Amino acid sequence: MQLTGRITAESLMSLEAYSKWRKTHKGEVIAHRKLRTVHLGDHVTVQFESEMSMRYQVQEMLRIEKIFEEEGIQQEIDAYAPLVPDGTNWKATLLIEYPDENERRRELARLIGIEDRMFVEVEGHERIYALADEDLERENEEKTSAVHFLRFELPAGSREAIKAGAAVKLGCDHTNYPAHVSMAAETLASLAGDLR
């Protein structure tokens, strides 16, 4: 899987080539995703996306759906390419996880607006709140969605501090889910690679 900075139809593998590549490289992608996954408390997981994770997602969708026509390929690219960080930000998938269906329903009602209360805090800098669900609204008056898409737009000073090794916290200050966690050094090293 060659990372080119931008996912285009021309930069994707054919279904046959991807099938061969996948057999030997799937473990690398899983390890990459695991490295960029941060658990916030018991019920919130934030997966920081990258070109590799989104390119893999597109290729997987094409493989599973057996899509090989231009229009279908472009639809998959259009769905996932916006989640690739562009050098000034981190992009992430927020997952709210409650295994029990009744508890999940109750908690999603209590957590309306959680996506707007997610933040990163770079050591020595102000909190940066996520811009959430820029593609479409994912909540209503009764409940929030279990999945949201976040963009943390990082000012130049914060980006430089991260690249220089500053500590970073991921947090949420929603009334019904206050939590924060220091991000692991290995995770930050991977995320620093997204910044320019």
Side-chain angles (χ1 to χ4, degrees), residues 23-93:
K23 286 179 182 145
T24 54
H25 297 281
K26 184 179 179 185
E28 294 167 29
V29 178
I30 290 169
H32 173 76
R33 288 197 75 120
K34 186 175 181 184
L35 177 66
R36 296 169 64 96
T37 297
V38 180
H39 299 282
L40 187 61
D42 294 332
H43 303 286
V44 169
T45 301
V46 178
Q47 294 177 335
F48 287 92
E49 304 299 357
S50 67
E51 180 186 348
M52 178 191 278
S53 65
M54 288 299 95
R55 186 175 288 279
Y56 179 77
Q57 187 68 37
V58 170
Q59 292 277 185
E60 279 292 292
M61 294 306 295
L62 298 179
R63 181 185 75 84
I64 291 165
E65 303 288 335
K66 297 185 179 20
I67 298 170
F68 56 88
E69 293 178 356
E70 279 181 38
E71 187 179 328
I73 293 169
Q74 193 57 52
Q75 286 174 351
E76 294 302 326
I77 292 170
D78 292 345
Y80 293 104
L83 285 171
V84 176
D86 64 16
T88 64
N89 52 42
W90 288 334
K91 296 186 180 178
T93 304

Side-chain angles (χ1 to χ4, degrees), residues 152-169:
F152 296 97
E153 200 57 47
L154 302 163
S158 294
R159 294 196 306 269
E160 291 308 315
I162 292 163
K163 290 193 282 188
V168 180
K169 286 181 186 167

